[in-house]
């Protein structure tokens, strides 16, 4: 079996993947594709569930501990015959029968992943081990949502998958950055050693409806602040950059990666790059031209620049983002206004 590596080399695994469930080959068994989404009650996970549920051949099981996610994000599916929701922490083993695993479970916002860093590491390492063990037992294909944070404070710009990164191993962000790096290592070790079918997405900053209002990430902060007439808090120096991907584009990329033939890692993100001051100015212009922009202290190890090189995603998945920041922000504003109960100013 030929596979891609981050360096574009091809490696050959000696082991064939474990066989899928015999039910897959049963003539009389009208089986649906059983898909587990860990972290499916969260922001990206719940949008992924919506998309997967559109296909009547899919049966979706969500496992989530509700640390940052909520049942509310899945309320339209609760009680649906093809949907099941399990309160489960991925640091504990999970014994179920599935054909595909989208493994998203992990707090993603810096304020949440730094809140209990030991738990964040456990979620990334033990959680990923448990999901790989499940994939091995039932012969399922598994996709990990890794992150652009594996590139740390990158010295190469934009970041291609072949870049190994510049990560502080002992900093306050390391529980997440290094946790995801170990998770990627585990994925490749299970692939080489046990023939597991793996997919790794390196996700770059994603935004959209259903982000927690007090999530602490920059787009949700600025939108909530603009709606509440509070100053937009730009963290020093304000020249640091990010590239923002709308959530429907992200979900499309993740499903293409799962369904395609490439292990990855593959960057999935929008290459449109903005400084945080530019983002604040854009939110101000689109949502509340009266609002003040205020400079505040930054947190340690904040990456100074970030922009995905998406050549691989274009070539291997036929994927590129469609929604520009200026079109995505108003969609998120509508959702935030609805949840905050604040109507648009006339
Ligand atoms: N949103 C982004 O910009 C971004 C960027 C890069 C990578 N990612 C990755 O995508 C995934 C989803 O991110 P998101 O933005 O939707 O975050 P989110 O916080 O909204 O969702 C994470 C979900 O995982 C659940 N969870 C956390 N720890 C768990 C555990 N131990 N057991 C079971 N469930 C657990 C949470 O309750 C939540 O529902 C994460 O793996 C994250 O690292 C997101
Ligand atoms: O895309 C990724 O790979 C990672 O990106 C984010 O991490 P980060 O980029 O630090 O996200 P934010 O907390 O939204 O910060 C982005 C930038 O905005 C700045 N910021 C944040 C919040 C704020 O109120 N003001 C502000 O200027 C921060 O200093 C930082 O430079 C996510 O939180 C991670 O889940 C994800 O894995």
């Amino acid at each position: 079996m030929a596979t891609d590596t981050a360096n574009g080399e091809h490696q050959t695994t000696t082991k064939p993947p474990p066989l899928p469930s015999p039910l897959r080959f049963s003539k009389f068994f009208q089986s649906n594709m059983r898909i587990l989404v860990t972290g499916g009650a969260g922001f990206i996970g719940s949008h992924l569930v919506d998309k997967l549920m559109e296909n009547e051949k899919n049966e979706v099981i969500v496992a989530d501990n509700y640390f940052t996610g909520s049942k509310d994000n899945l309320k339209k599916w609760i009680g649906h015959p093809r949907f099941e929701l399990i309160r489960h922490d991925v640091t504990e083993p999970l014994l179920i029968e599935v054909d595909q695993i989208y493994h998203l479970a992990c707090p993603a916002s810096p304020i949440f992943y730094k809140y209990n860093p030991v738990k964040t590491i456990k979620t990334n390492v033990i959680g990923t081990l448990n999901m790989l063990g499940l994939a091995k037992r039932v012969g399922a294909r598994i996709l990990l949502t890794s992150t652009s944070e594996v590139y740390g404070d990158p010295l190469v710009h934009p970041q291609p998958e072949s870049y190994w990164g510049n990560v502080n191993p002992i900093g306050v962000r390391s529980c997440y950055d290094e946790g995801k790096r170990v998770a990627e290592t585990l994925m490749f070790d299970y692939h080489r050693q046990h023939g597991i079918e793996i997919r790794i997405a390196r996700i770059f900053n994603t935004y959209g409806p259903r982000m927690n209002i007090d999530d602490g990430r920059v787009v949700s902060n600025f939108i909530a602040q603009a709606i509440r007439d509070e100053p937009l808090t730009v963290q020093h120096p304000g020249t640091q950059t990010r590239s923002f991907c709308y959530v429907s584009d992200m979900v499309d990329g993740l499903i293409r990666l799962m369904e395609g033939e490439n292990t990855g890692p593959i960057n999935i993100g929008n290459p449109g790059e903005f400084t945080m001051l530019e983002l604040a100015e854009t939110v101000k212009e689109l949502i509340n031209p009266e609002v003040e922009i205020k400079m505040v202290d930054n947190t340690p190890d904040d990456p100074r620049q970030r922009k995905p090189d998406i050549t691989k995603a274009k070539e291997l998945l036929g994927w590129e983002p469609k929604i520009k920041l200026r079109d995505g922000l108003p969609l998120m504003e509508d959702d935030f206004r609805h949840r905050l109960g604040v109507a648009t100013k006339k």
Side-chain angles (χ1 to χ4, degrees), residues 38-45 63-70 88-91 103-109 119 123 145-148 176 180 203-207 211-212 215 217:
T38 74
F43 159 53
I44 299 179
D64 200 297
N65 71 352
Y66 309 128
F67 175 48
T68 53
S70 145
H88 178 82
D89 195 304
V90 292
T91 58
H103 178 39
L104 280 71
C106 178
S109 168
K119 180 64 195 278
T123 297
T145 51
S146 184
T147 166
S148 61
Y176 184 75
K180 289 282 187 181
I203 298 182
F204 284 64
N205 299 61
T206 301
Y207 70 101
M211 285 184 93
N212 282 323
D215 186 271
R217 284 183 273 189

Side-chain angles (χ1 to χ4, degrees), residues 100-102 141 143 199 254-260:
Q100 288 184 344
I101 303 168
Y102 285 89
R141 181 178 291 183
L143 180 150
R199 304 287 182 266
L254 294 177
I255 293 176
R256 280 173 192 248
L257 176 60
M258 176 65 106
E259 298 302 331

Side-chain angles (χ1 to χ4, degrees), residues 39-320:
F43 159 53
I44 299 179
S46 62
H47 285 279
L48 175 64
V49 169
D50 289 351
K51 191 72 192 172
L52 293 172
M53 285 294 291
E54 279 176 17
N55 183 341
E56 291 190 355
K57 291 261 168 225
N58 289 341
E59 212 173 275
V60 177
I61 303 164
V62 166
D64 200 297
N65 71 352
Y66 309 128
F67 175 48
T68 53
S70 145
K71 280 187 202 170
D72 213 41
N73 288 336
L74 297 167
K75 61 176 183 267
K76 72 173 165 194
W77 302 119
I78 292 171
H80 191 288
R82 289 186 286 108
F83 180 76
E84 199 176 334
L85 179 56
I86 309 171
R87 179 189 289 268
H88 178 82
D89 195 304
V90 292
T91 58
E92 300 291 337
L94 181 62
L95 289 174
I96 57 174
E97 307 301 314
V98 287
D99 307 296
Q100 288 184 344
I101 303 168
Y102 285 89
H103 178 39
L104 280 71
C106 178
S109 168
I111 59 169
F112 288 105
Y113 68 65
K114 290 186 212 168
Y115 166 75
N116 184 343
V118 174
K119 180 64 195 278
T120 302
I121 282 266
K122 282 187 179 173
T123 297
N124 278 315
V125 179
I126 302 172
T128 304
L129 262 175
N130 282 333
M131 292 309 110
L132 281 162
L134 171 62
K136 183 177 157 207
R137 181 176 62 80
V138 299
R141 181 178 291 183
I142 177 168
L143 180 150
L144 170 75
T145 51
S146 184
T147 166
S148 61
E149 296 222 12
V150 299
Y151 302 121
D153 188 9
L155 305 176
V156 170
H157 194 74
Q159 295 81 54
E161 292 84 351
S162 53
Y163 178 49
W164 288 353
N166 177 37
V167 178
N168 175 359
I170 56 166
V172 292
R173 292 178 89 104
S174 313
C175 57
Y176 184 75
D177 303 12
E178 296 287 23
K180 289 282 187 181
R181 287 168 70 96
V182 174
E184 288 198 13
T185 307
L186 284 167
M187 293 281 286
F188 267 92
D189 284 340
Y190 265 74
H191 174 61
R192 285 184 288 253
Q193 194 173 334
H194 299 298
I196 305 294
E197 286 191 90
I198 60 158
R199 304 287 182 266
I200 298 177
R202 289 191 180 148
I203 298 182
F204 284 64
N205 299 61
T206 301
Y207 70 101
R210 288 194 203 144
M211 285 184 93
N212 282 323
I213 286 170
D214 299 311
D215 186 271
R217 284 183 273 189
V218 69
V219 182
S220 45
N221 272 6
F222 286 179
I223 291 187
Q225 289 162 343
I227 293 174
R228 289 166 164 156
D229 266 328
E230 292 168 0
L232 309 187
T233 52
V234 174
Q235 295 176 352
H236 272 290
T239 49
Q240 69 273 36
T241 67
R242 294 294 188 273
S243 306
F244 300 101
C245 185
Y246 192 69
V247 66
S248 57
D249 283 331
M250 180 55 55
V251 164
D252 178 36
L254 294 177
I255 293 176
R256 280 173 192 248
L257 176 60
M258 176 65 106
E259 298 302 331
E261 293 308 314
N262 292 277
T263 58
I266 296 192
N267 290 337
I268 306 190
N270 190 323
E273 185 183 10
F274 298 84
T275 68
M276 293 311 101
L277 272 168
E278 284 168 343
L279 176 68
E281 292 291 355
T282 309
V283 169
K284 179 176 164 122
E285 180 200 326
L286 294 176
I287 300 180
N288 183 353
E290 316 289 303
V291 82
E292 186 197 334
I293 295 178
K294 181 170 116 187
M295 295 305 293
V296 298
D297 286 344
N298 205 336
T299 52
D301 292 340
D302 183 45
R304 281 163 294 183
Q305 52 182 2
R306 189 183 285 162
K307 170 182 171 158
D309 177 335
I310 59 163
T311 312
K312 266 182 94 172
K314 283 186 186 163
E315 285 175 8
L316 300 176
L317 308 179
W319 177 88
E320 63 183 311

